[in-house]
Amino acid sequence: MSTITLKEHNIPVTLSEGLSEKQLLSFHPFNLRSIKIQSFDLFGGSRLGFVKLVAEVTNSARERLPGAVFLRGPSVAMLVVLVPDDAPLEEGKADRYVLLTVQPRIAAGSLAFVELPAGMVDEAGNFAGTAAKEIKEELGLDIPESELRCLSELAAPRPSVAEVAAVKQTFNEEILPQAMFPSPGGCDEYVPIYMHERRVPRAQLSEWTGRLTGLRDHGEKITLKMVKMDDLWREGARDAKCLAALALWEGLQREGKL
């Protein structure tokens, strides 16, 4: 293998065996010709949060790809499953409960949007850490990172270094994050879905329902909602994160990976 440096960004690139620098740099199925940043929002007065841009993307025949993009970065979603301590251990969804959040979502035109707990990833890019933090803030549960399982990675395991090199060399496939993309047609956001399951006293289930949580100084007004896992597809039918989490959980259960 050899390593080259992309001079424009000072980024080292290690080439797979048999792939030359000339071949790599000449590979332009679609070229990014220009970017125009139309608007942006700052978080906390200084950190760049949301960016709206238009990119001109064409190939050698001047065929275009849609270039309007909203950049907001990755998020995480959490499927927190609670099992009453007096329930028998068995496969399937019987006697499992899921914690959902109910909160205002202006973009959806709702003051009581039901969804899976979620949060944006901070600059450190620690997905599991962000998930654990959001569970604490939104649900009031302390869950160590080590007790979180990433359903997205269980469903589509991260490829090895050799597999990545082979894919990049053939140019036939793309290496994308192990995550759900809620709106790939216009937004860069992707959402790895984490899960935690624990047994709790049955009486505690009712204590969580209706509890007010969230960071009030961040403008969060969150109410918790407890639903049976059998009803999750219906209760969370408007939330892509919820439906994706349920599909992953059911598929992994069938394959014996959970």
Side-chain angles (χ1 to χ4, degrees):
M1 292 187 178
S2 60
T3 300
I4 65 172
T5 299
L6 297 181
K7 297 179 181 179
E8 295 178 2
H9 305 286
N10 195 31
I11 298 175
V13 176
T14 300
L15 302 176
S16 302
E17 198 68 39
L19 178 64
S20 69
E21 178 179 355
K22 182 178 180 181
Q23 287 174 312
L24 176 65
L25 298 180
S26 66
F27 178 66
H28 299 298
F30 278 90
N31 285 326
L32 177 62
R33 309 287 180 178
S34 65
I35 292 177
K36 178 182 179 181
I37 296 178
Q38 297 176 318
S39 61
F40 64 92
D41 289 291
L42 299 178
F43 291 169
S46 60
R47 184 167 70 89
L48 190 60
F50 298 149
V51 176
K52 170 64 170 61
L53 61 83
V54 174
E56 183 183 355
V57 184
T58 64
N59 61 11
S60 58
R62 305 304 292 179
E63 296 172 323
R64 296 176 178 271
L65 291 176
V69 182
F70 172 59
L71 302 179
R72 58 162 290 156
S75 305
V76 293
M78 291 76 68
L79 177 67
V80 178
V81 181
L82 303 175
V83 183
D85 57 4
D86 59 355
L89 288 173
E90 57 185 21
E91 294 183 1
K93 294 177 284 186
D95 224 11
R96 279 182 164 88
Y97 295 81
V98 175
L99 275 173
L100 300 177
T101 60
V102 183
Q103 59 186 311
R105 289 302 194 192
I106 303 303
S110 173
L111 296 177
F113 195 82
V114 179
E115 61 184 302
L116 219 60
M120 296 181 64
V121 177
D122 58 21
E123 292 176 325
N126 184 348
F127 288 90
T130 299
K133 178 182 176 183
E134 291 294 332
I135 289 173
K136 173 64 176 176
E137 292 176 355
E138 296 192 1
L139 305 181
L141 291 173
D142 283 304
I143 299 177
E145 292 182 35
S146 59
E147 295 182 14
L148 291 170
R149 305 186 72 182
C150 185
L151 299 183
S152 301
E153 291 194 359
L154 285 173
R158 191 177 301 277
S160 66
V161 174
E163 290 171 333
V164 171
V167 168
K168 287 184 176 180
Q169 184 171 349
T170 60
F171 300 121
N172 290 327
E173 296 186 41
E174 299 167 323
I175 301 300
L176 297 174
Q178 280 78 13
M180 182 268 292
F181 285 75
S183 186
C187 182
D188 71 323
E189 181 184 18
Y190 60 90
V191 188
I193 298 174
Y194 287 82
M195 175 192 172
H196 174 74
E197 181 173 313
R198 68 164 60 177
R199 295 177 74 84
V200 298
R202 186 175 290 274
Q204 197 169 1
L205 296 176
S206 59
E207 294 177 9
W208 268 311
T209 300
R211 179 190 293 179
L212 293 175
T213 65
L215 300 179
R216 291 298 188 269
D217 56 344
H218 288 194
E220 295 180 344
K221 184 180 179 182
I222 299 171
T223 303
L224 299 186
K225 182 174 185 177
M226 184 84 63
V227 303
K228 287 188 175 182
M229 199 152 194
D230 282 329
D231 299 328
L232 185 59
W233 67 272
R234 181 184 296 108
E235 296 283 351
R238 291 185 176 89
D239 179 34
K241 305 182 300 298
C242 187
L243 296 179
L246 181 59
L248 288 171
W249 186 88
E250 290 182 334
L252 291 167
Q253 282 275 327
R254 284 195 302 271
E255 294 192 358
K257 295 181 179 179
L258 284 178

